[in-house]
Amino acid sequence: MSQLAPLISDLALIMVCAGIMTLIFKKLKQPLVLGYIVAGFLASPHFRFTPSVTEISSIHTWSEIGVIFLLFALGLDFSIKKLMKVGGSAVISACSIILCMIAVGVFVGYLFGWKQMDCIYLGGMLAMSSTTIIYKAFDDMGLRQQRFAGLVLSILILEDILAIVLMVMLSTIAVRKNFEGAEMVYSILKLIFFLVLWFVVGLYLIPIFLKKVRRYLTGETMLVVSLALCLGMVVMAAQAGFSPAFGAFIMGSILAETVEGEHIEKSIAPVKDLFGAIFFVSVGMMVDPAMILEYWGPILAIVAAILLGQTILGTGGVLLSGQSLKTSMQCGFSLTQIGEFAFIIASLGVSLKVTSDFLYPIVVAVSVITTFLTPYMIRLSVPAYNFVDKHLPMRWKHLLERYSAGTQTVNRENHWKNLLSAVLRIVLIYSVLSVAVIVLSLHLLAPVVVDALGEKWGGPAAAILTLLFIAPFLRALIMKKNRSIEFRALWADSRFNHGPLISLIILRVVIGVAFVVYVIESLYQTSAAIGVGISILVVGAIVFSRFLKKQSILLERTFVQNLRSKDVKNVYLGKQRPEYAGRLLDRDIHFSDFLIPTASLWAGYTLKELDLGRKFGVHVTSIIRGEHRINIPGADTRVFPGDTLQVIGTDEQLSAFASHAAQIAEAQQDEDFEKHEMYLKQFVVDKHSPFIGRSIRESGIRNKYHCLVVGIETVADESLHSPDVDAPLSAGDVVWVVGEEASLLRLFSVE
């Protein structure tokens, strides 16, 4: 009998427990995460009444893989453009809540006398609310469409990305085991460098690669390629000194901006669900009932800290962003739980061996309790607001109302702010790209060139090649935005702006010269004066080179096109409004979609026959038919069931159009169906018939009388046979026709 490997038997036990708990918790309408945790507890050595796993170390490996795929899937749901659209309220709220809850967690840990790393990691765990649990709670309670729910979801998006940053910082603290300011600043700068580098290079190269191989990306190849990209970035992140989960999240975020993002998300969903279940089961295996009983006091204290901290400090953070008191309290009460990121941070502490053994089961117990309390806390928010509003002094009410109204005002456009932010972004991105190219050149290119050409010629040759590679980036760093609308407006606005604007250009030139000087000094030994002189000449040549200008524009255009490709596709398929739709609002002209129902009487007619422009004043800009789009359809374009008409008009015109479209559909549904019953009849062609000598095609039986000839009995052959549409009819022929009763009566009256 063959011996079964312990890893397989352990995995079988885990999946059996997870499968049973999934069905039970689905029946109880509870989060599946809790079911997985219970399954892990049942399969752990701590529960002696059921079989338990034999190799815990293997399960830790599976759980690490689970974290990687969870973060990869989370990155696929994340979007850089989505982050830019969350608004200032979400940014202020999320940052305030995270900082306050970290402080609360550290304070609670110190109260119990825990060591420093336990307190820091506890603060990180308490700072992150559970995206999964809140999404489910809002869906179950029908709150997703409410205003406060949208703000909560925006806060969760920011918390997810900040959680990744927090994990990197916690890893750095764990390795250094101290809070040295220089080390922390270095870690933050390193994080920013690699974030910019990976996103810019990834968003430039990966969409191009996926576009080249798109014809081969079936379900299986899509899964394999996406997982290969994910694990490749995991290895790169680990080599750069970051956690593997961080690399998975970055690759997921990059792929989320591609056209294939949704396809990839669907492809990896089963893999993510499988390893995610294993991860949460491994979380449950860390639960020791004896340890929970021993630390019941800290567990209750941490639960109280989360509930009070989020309801008070969370409400205050949202209130600080300028929201009303009611919205702020609804947001604060909705965030009173910890979930998946708390487990991930706890796993990070365990893997780095910097947290105590008791912290993990405590966090799991706290998560279970706060998860069960989440729906009740959300329901409690409105009664709590009514109570506070009733007892709040009138002077405070007016103060909050004025503050809320004041933060909603829109300031006039500030050209200086727009210009400086754009220049800072340009300098940061192109400096990171230049540094990356220089580092690769010094470590990979230069040694090869020097070995091939020798010390005398190898250094200058490597320097020239490096400068050629970074030249497009240096030109963009120096020249972009020097002729922008903001720059010209500031230049024309006042002569006092000339000095700062010229200084801004000079500063960027100095940065470009510094890069060239560094390359020359690193690869070709010369005096400082000669090096600076050569660098100034090189930068001048770069600035005035028309070839480099074209290359720089081409690089940026490709990047922007890749970044917009997903939005362009969504607009093409009707999933997203076109950009011009928003520009029509200030002119009282709107853009709306109308689906042609299956029963609509408009189906089958051309736009000319429908004459929507004359009847309702609306204009059809596009027709979306499945995954095909017809822009500016012609008058002869027919409308079919299931088509989506994209229509432009005023509110009154669109309202009248929609009302009539609904009435047309209802008229078709309410029509007397008995009138359309089909009958099979026959008639004999006599010598006075108008059809004698004419073929079926020429007779007009189908087109004029809406009847169909299905068979003919000729005089020569009395058997019924299929009609020949081009054979002439003769006297005595028996014609069998199918049609509606009214159509048959019209035909027989002529016959």
Side-chain angles (χ1 to χ4, degrees):
M1 183 175 179
S2 61
Q3 184 70 27
L4 187 64
L7 177 62
I8 299 176
S9 60
D10 288 345
L11 184 60
L13 177 61
I14 287 174
M15 297 313 298
V16 168
C17 293
I20 294 173
M21 288 298 110
T22 297
L23 296 175
I24 293 175
F25 275 70
K26 196 74 173 179
K27 176 69 175 178
L28 298 175
K29 297 182 179 180
Q30 295 299 322
L32 296 182
V33 173
L34 297 180
Y36 295 142
I37 294 174
V38 174
F41 172 69
L42 295 177
S44 69
H46 303 297
F47 192 76
R48 301 177 182 177
F49 302 101
T50 57
S52 60
V53 297
T54 57
E55 291 189 358
I56 302 295
S57 59
S58 299
I59 303 305
H60 283 293
T61 302
W62 287 108
S63 67
E64 289 180 8
I65 299 175
V67 172
I68 288 173
F69 289 133
L70 277 175
L71 269 295
F72 182 52
L74 184 63
L76 285 169
D77 193 47
F78 175 78
S79 171
I80 301 173
K81 295 192 288 292
K82 188 189 298 183
L83 178 64
M84 302 302 295
K85 295 177 182 178
V86 296
S89 295
V91 174
I92 296 173
S93 302
C95 294
S96 303
I97 291 171
I98 289 175
L99 292 175
C100 291
M101 292 307 297
I102 289 176
V104 168
V106 172
F107 177 72
V108 171
Y110 276 121
L111 285 181
F112 288 103
W114 295 347
K115 64 180 184 180
Q116 187 182 58
M117 295 306 297
D118 288 336
C119 297
I120 295 173
Y121 271 77
L122 178 63
M125 296 174 203
L126 267 58
M128 303 300 160
S129 300
S130 174
T131 304
T132 304
I133 294 170
I134 294 176
Y135 265 67
K136 184 180 185 304
F138 283 166
D139 279 336
D140 293 344
M141 302 172 70
L143 300 175
R144 284 286 297 274
Q145 304 303 320
Q146 293 198 14
R147 182 175 180 272
F148 86 93
L151 181 57
V152 170
L153 298 180
S154 298
I155 292 173
L156 291 173
I157 292 172
L158 284 167
E159 284 192 350
D160 289 343
I161 185 63
L162 292 176
I164 302 298
V165 178
L166 181 61
M167 287 173 59
V168 175
M169 296 180 66
L170 290 175
S171 301
T172 303
I173 295 173
V175 173
R176 304 296 179 183
K177 298 187 185 305
N178 54 37
F179 291 98
E180 290 185 8
E183 292 290 345
M184 186 59 64
V185 171
Y186 170 75
S187 299
I188 294 174
L189 292 177
K190 178 182 175 183
L191 174 65
I192 294 173
F193 174 82
F194 280 103
L195 276 175
V196 174
L197 178 63
W198 284 336
F199 272 116
V200 173
V201 176
L203 287 173
Y204 183 85
L205 295 179
I206 291 179
I208 295 176
F209 165 72
L210 293 177
K211 186 176 181 180
K212 296 291 185 182
V213 300
R214 185 172 296 165
R215 67 176 68 181
Y216 310 113
L217 292 177
T218 60
E220 181 179 356
T221 54
M222 176 68 80
L223 174 63
V224 174
V225 170
S226 59
L227 293 183
L229 291 171
C230 170
L231 296 176
M233 181 59 78
V234 165
V235 174
M236 290 178 59
Q239 292 293 327
F242 300 111
S243 68
F246 176 70
F249 179 84
I250 294 300
M251 180 51 66
S253 302
I254 293 172
L255 292 176
E257 301 297 340
T258 64
V259 174
E260 293 79 8
E262 293 183 7
H263 189 185
I264 293 174
E265 188 174 4
K266 294 177 181 177
S267 298
I268 68 131
V271 179
K272 182 260 296 184
D273 293 338
L274 171 62
F275 287 101
I278 294 175
F279 167 70
F280 287 115
V281 169
S282 69
V283 170
M285 294 174 64
M286 300 291 291
V287 177
D288 187 352
M291 194 169 289
I292 291 177
L293 292 175
E294 181 181 353
Y295 289 92
W296 65 269
I299 290 174
L300 295 180
I302 294 173
V303 169
I306 293 173
L307 298 180
L308 294 176
Q310 288 287 12
T311 53
I312 297 174
L313 300 177
T315 297
V318 181
L319 200 62
L320 182 66
S321 69
Q323 299 298 318
S324 64
L325 179 60
K326 182 177 182 180
T327 300
S328 301
M329 291 187 67
Q330 287 177 306
C331 292
F333 277 68
S334 299
L335 297 170
T336 53
Q337 75 291 122
I338 59 174
E340 53 274 3
F341 262 114
F343 303 143
I344 294 172
I345 293 175
S347 299
L348 180 66
V350 171
S351 63
L352 295 174
K353 296 181 173 57
V354 295
T355 55
S356 302
D357 294 336
F358 62 81
L359 190 59
Y360 204 116
I362 285 177
V363 169
V364 174
V366 170
S367 175
V368 172
I369 295 173
T370 54
T371 297
F372 278 116
L373 293 177
T374 295
Y376 303 101
M377 294 298 296
I378 296 175
R379 292 191 185 98
L380 185 61
S381 61
V382 174
Y385 163 74
N386 294 332
F387 176 82
V388 172
D389 185 64
K390 182 178 180 181
H391 295 84
L392 195 67
M394 191 59 64
R395 183 167 60 88
W396 287 24
K397 289 183 182 180
H398 292 323
L399 179 64
L400 291 175
E401 289 175 359
R402 286 198 300 271
Y403 178 77
S404 175
T407 57
Q408 303 297 327
T409 58
V410 180
N411 296 325
R412 64 184 181 84
E413 184 178 14
N414 189 321
H415 290 306
W416 269 116
K417 178 182 177 182
N418 294 338
L419 179 62
L420 291 177
S421 61
V423 169
L424 179 62
R425 183 174 63 252
I426 290 166
V427 171
L428 174 63
I429 292 175
Y430 288 106
S431 295
V432 167
L433 292 175
S434 300
V435 169
V437 172
I438 292 172
V439 170
L440 290 174
S441 177
L442 292 177
H443 289 83
L444 299 178
L445 177 65
V448 175
V449 176
V450 171
D451 289 341
L453 301 179
E455 290 287 344
K456 182 178 181 180
W457 300 104
I464 292 173
L465 289 175
T466 304
L467 292 176
L468 288 176
F469 288 140
I470 67 172
F473 304 143
L474 293 183
R475 192 189 187 284
L477 187 152
I478 296 170
M479 297 301 296
K480 280 191 64 65
K481 287 294 181 180
N482 287 346
R483 296 182 179 179
S484 63
I485 297 175
E486 295 85 359
F487 189 97
R488 287 181 290 178
L490 290 169
W491 185 273
D493 184 51
S494 172
R495 62 186 180 89
F496 295 105
N497 289 333
H498 294 183
L501 291 172
I502 295 174
S503 300
L504 189 63
I505 296 175
I506 294 175
L507 177 61
R508 296 165 70 182
V509 171
V510 170
I511 295 174
V513 171
F515 276 113
V516 179
V517 169
Y518 181 81
V519 172
I520 293 175
E521 290 295 324
S522 300
L523 296 172
Y524 181 66
Q525 301 298 325
T526 183
S527 65
I530 295 177
V532 172
I534 294 175
S535 300
I536 293 175
L537 293 176
V538 170
V539 169
I542 289 174
V543 168
F544 292 104
S545 171
R546 298 184 64 85
F547 173 77
L548 290 178
K549 179 180 179 181
K550 292 180 180 179
Q551 292 300 312
S552 177
I553 294 174
L554 180 62
L555 289 172
E556 183 175 359
R557 185 176 298 165
T558 303
F559 178 82
V560 173
Q561 184 178 356
N562 291 341
L563 193 61
R564 294 184 63 248
S565 59
K566 185 177 180 180
D567 290 338
V568 172
K569 182 180 179 182
N570 288 337
V571 170
Y572 179 82
L573 297 178
K575 298 178 181 179
Q576 186 173 320
R577 294 291 181 87
E579 291 184 5
Y580 68 82
R583 302 176 185 175
L584 299 173
L585 294 176
D586 58 348
R587 301 182 181 275
D588 195 30
I589 299 177
H590 298 167
F591 183 96
S592 294
D593 295 346
F594 290 92
L595 178 66
I596 301 299
T598 305
S600 176
L601 289 177
W602 287 353
Y605 287 92
T606 64
L607 293 178
K608 180 179 180 180
E609 293 169 339
L610 295 176
D611 200 11
L612 302 179
R614 185 182 63 82
K615 294 178 180 177
F616 308 103
V618 299
H619 303 281
V620 179
T621 62
S622 304
I623 297 177
I624 301 173
R625 186 171 297 153
E627 294 193 357
H628 179 62
R629 182 185 185 93
I630 305 173
N631 287 326
I632 319 298
D636 295 329
T637 303
R638 294 191 180 276
V639 175
F640 294 101
D643 284 355
T644 297
L645 305 185
Q646 295 192 328
V647 183
I648 287 180
T650 64
D651 282 339
E652 294 78 9
Q653 292 168 342
L654 293 175
S655 177
F657 172 73
S659 176
H660 185 74
Q663 291 176 3
I664 289 293
E666 291 176 0
Q668 174 71 8
Q669 295 172 0
D670 296 336
E671 195 172 14
D672 188 0
F673 60 87
E674 294 179 352
K675 295 180 180 179
H676 298 283
E677 185 178 3
M678 300 280 283
Y679 296 94
L680 175 64
K681 299 289 185 180
Q682 63 187 51
F683 66 88
V684 179
V685 180
D686 58 28
K687 60 181 180 180
H688 301 294
S689 174
F691 302 138
I692 287 183
R694 303 174 64 183
S695 66
I696 296 176
R697 189 192 304 276
E698 297 170 342
S699 65
I701 294 176
R702 178 165 186 163
N703 296 331
K704 184 176 180 180
Y705 301 101
H706 301 289
C707 295
L708 177 65
V709 178
V710 296
I712 294 179
E713 296 179 18
T714 63
V715 177
D717 184 4
E718 295 183 356
S719 62
L720 184 65
H721 58 82
S722 179
D724 181 0
V725 295
D726 295 318
L729 296 174
S730 305
D733 289 348
V734 179
V735 181
W736 293 72
V737 294
V738 170
E740 297 177 1
E741 184 178 11
S743 300
L744 292 171
L745 289 175
R746 289 176 52 228
L747 174 63
F748 293 159
S749 65
V750 175
E751 175 58 27

